[in-house]
Amino acid sequence: MTLQHLIQNSLFPVGEENTAYAPYFDGTSYLHMLSLDQVAVGNVTFAPGCRNHWHIHKASQGGGQILLVTAGRGYGQPPQELHPGDVVHIPPNVKHWHGAAPDSPFQHLAIEVPGQDTGSQWLEPVDPDEYNQLK
C-alpha cells in the first residue's frame, strides 16, 4: 500500500502535514483532530519510515493513551508489529514510541485518556539502527 492509497481510502480525514509536532517526528506525518470535546481523539497518519520520538504521557491520576490502528503496518514499543484492528493501551508515565514500518504507511486514532496533571513529555529520537532492524 502506498501513502497516497492510504490517504485516498482513509476512514477519517487525514488533515494537513503535522508541522506543529514535526520536531518530535522523524519523517512526514499528518494530523487531523477528530474530537477535542470530552476526550481528545486525533487521526495520525505516518508516511513509510516515519515514527515519533520516545515520549511519556504524564499524569498523576488516570491518563495514558489508547491507539486504534486503522490502516497500514507499523510498530509500537515494546517492540510489536501493529496492523489494522489492533488496540494498544499505553499506561500513563510509560516511555514509548510508535510509527510506520520502513516500507509501509501507517495510521491510527490516538485517544488521550483523561486524567489529572496530564501532558506529554517528548524525549530523544528512536535510534535509527534499532528502528532499521525492524522488518
Side-chain angles (χ1 to χ4, degrees):
M1 168 190 317
T2 66
L3 177 61
Q4 192 60 32
H5 180 265
L6 186 151
I7 289 171
Q8 290 174 345
N9 294 286
S10 178
L11 295 172
F12 298 98
V14 171
E16 301 297 320
E17 189 170 328
N18 187 8
T19 57
Y21 289 91
Y24 311 114
F25 281 70
D26 290 324
T28 303
S29 68
Y30 302 84
L31 175 64
H32 181 81
M33 292 308 296
L34 299 172
S35 174
L36 294 173
D37 295 330
Q38 295 179 296
V39 175
V41 180
N43 185 27
V44 185
T45 303
F46 300 79
C50 177
R51 66 264 184 204
N52 54 33
H53 293 185
W54 288 96
H55 59 286
I56 300 170
H57 299 281
K58 297 270 190 179
S60 62
Q61 279 192 316
Q65 186 179 53
I66 300 169
L67 306 179
L68 305 176
V69 179
T70 57
R73 185 171 68 88
Y75 290 97
Q77 193 65 23
Q80 61 184 22
E81 192 168 322
L82 301 173
H83 299 276
D86 287 346
V87 178
V88 180
H89 294 268
I90 303 164
N93 307 310
V94 171
K95 184 177 175 181
H96 67 286
W97 67 270
H98 32 98
D103 61 351
S104 174
F106 179 62
Q107 188 176 70
H108 64 59
L109 301 182
I111 301 168
E112 298 299 320
V113 178
Q116 293 181 0
D117 305 314
T118 60
S120 294
Q121 179 184 3
W122 291 98
L123 304 165
E124 73 276 5
V126 175
D127 182 282
D129 292 332
E130 290 180 31
Y131 174 77
N132 289 326
Q133 290 179 14
L134 302 171
K135 300 292 177 193

